[in-house]
Amino acid sequence: MIDHTRPNIARVYDAILGGKDNYAADRAVAAQTQRIVPEIRDVARDNRAMLGRAVRYMVKAGIRQLVDLGSGLPTAQNTHEVAQSVASDTRVVYVDNDPVVSAHGRALLAENDRTTVVTADLRRPKAVLDHPDLRAAIDFDRPVGMMLVSVIHYLNDNEDPTGIVRAYTNALAPGSHLFLTHFCAGTPEALALEQALLSGLGTGRFRSTKQIAAYFDGLDLVPPGVVHLPQWRPEGGVRRPLTIAQRLMVGGLARKPA
Ligand code: SAM
């Protein structure tokens, strides 16, 4: 049973992106974020655009298995669509703890036998990694692209986000990649947005670029490293200086060495 009266992370994000899978309570939180950062939709779009570039990078580098943790409601250019447009044999497992996200994903993917949807809480890496549907799709003896896109900032410090990310990367074979984006602290707008997410959704923890870069410790960062999203291997030119909105998130992609 969906509670429409309480805002929810996946639906607020959908509302910010301009999607249709959201309710008044979600739109109210989205509107609050837009009052703080009028270009908030660009932040979400930059995040999706970097997701597309990073997925293309991983598949072109030979990765044929992707695990998208905290995958969200289906939108334009979903991970499997991007990946399978580069190499049609790429297998994708979507993991989200929101049953509505899973239901939409399953409906979208009914006819795609290389894509799997798992309902699980990414804060329990062992349960996720041992999930029979994930194990059926992913061979952990071969390189995997592990994705944590715009989701680790919904984990509080006392939930040990570093340990959780590490549990996933420890399970990966050499040549695997970690792709992560995250809200970053350091501007008045970031502070106000963090407060709005905390009061609207009950969760939100923006971190410094240094803290976010530490999630990649032990891995080899793909140049240019952990940077603001539009600066990560842009396909067109980047306007400088970055806008306030463009400085709200950072992301990076790294390879696990042998
Ligand atoms: N990764 C997508 C993207 O970047 O476009 C969606 C990001 S959306 C902001 C965050 C998603 O993470 C939501 O769908 C939410 O349900 C999911 N999520 C939040 N906490 C989670 C958890 N503990 N386990 C699994 N999924 C989670």
Side-chain angles (χ1 to χ4, degrees), residues 27-40 189 192-193 196:
R27 291 190 286 276
V29 177
Q32 173 65 10
T33 66
Q34 195 171 26
R35 279 192 284 279
I36 298 164
V37 181
E39 309 85 3
I40 191 73
E189 291 77 13
L193 197 58

Side-chain angles (χ1 to χ4, degrees), residues 7-28:
N8 146 301
I9 296 173
R11 294 194 306 253
V12 169
Y13 184 66
D14 179 72
I16 290 173
L17 274 170
K20 295 192 188 73
D21 297 311
N22 51 74
Y23 299 97
D26 309 306
R27 291 190 286 276

Side-chain angles (χ1 to χ4, degrees), residues 80-228:
H80 74 285
E81 292 165 333
V82 177
Q84 291 168 0
S85 73
V86 180
S88 59
D89 57 339
T90 309
R91 287 191 301 283
V92 176
V93 178
Y94 289 115
V95 179
D96 205 288
N97 65 346
D98 184 333
V100 178
V101 167
S102 311
H104 277 78
R106 288 196 181 95
L108 176 77
L109 299 167
E111 288 172 22
N112 189 313
D113 59 5
R114 284 141 294 135
T115 307
T116 305
V117 175
V118 168
T119 308
D121 191 326
L122 68 85
R123 290 171 296 187
R124 299 180 59 213
K126 187 167 173 359
V128 171
L129 292 167
D130 288 345
H131 195 289
D133 293 348
L134 185 133
R135 285 275 159 186
I138 301 293
D139 175 358
F140 281 94
D141 291 332
R142 300 174 66 85
V144 172
M146 194 59 81
M147 303 169 53
L148 283 161
V149 187
S150 191
V151 67
I152 288 295
H153 45 239
Y154 295 113
L155 269 52
N156 295 321
D157 290 342
N158 63 9
E159 293 177 302
D160 189 19
T162 304
I164 289 170
V165 175
R166 195 65 44 84
Y168 286 111
T169 53
N170 282 347
L172 303 177
S176 295
H177 285 62
L178 171 68
F179 167 42
L180 183 148
T181 70
H182 198 295
F183 272 123
C184 68
T187 59
E189 291 77 13
L191 189 60
L193 197 58
E194 183 181 38
Q195 291 307 318
L197 293 181
L198 257 180
S199 65
L201 291 168
T203 168
R205 177 75 178 83
F206 290 28
R207 299 185 169 92
S208 68
T209 304
K210 196 173 163 201
Q211 286 173 310
I212 298 163
Y215 293 129
F216 297 97
D217 280 356
L219 309 176
D220 297 334
L221 277 166
V222 171
V226 178
V227 292
H228 295 295

Side-chain angles (χ1 to χ4, degrees), residues 53-54 57 222-225 227-236 238 253:
R53 298 196 298 279
Y57 180 99
V222 171
V227 292
H228 295 295
L229 308 185
Q231 296 173 321
W232 195 85
R233 305 177 84 87
E235 277 153 12
V238 187
L253 175 70

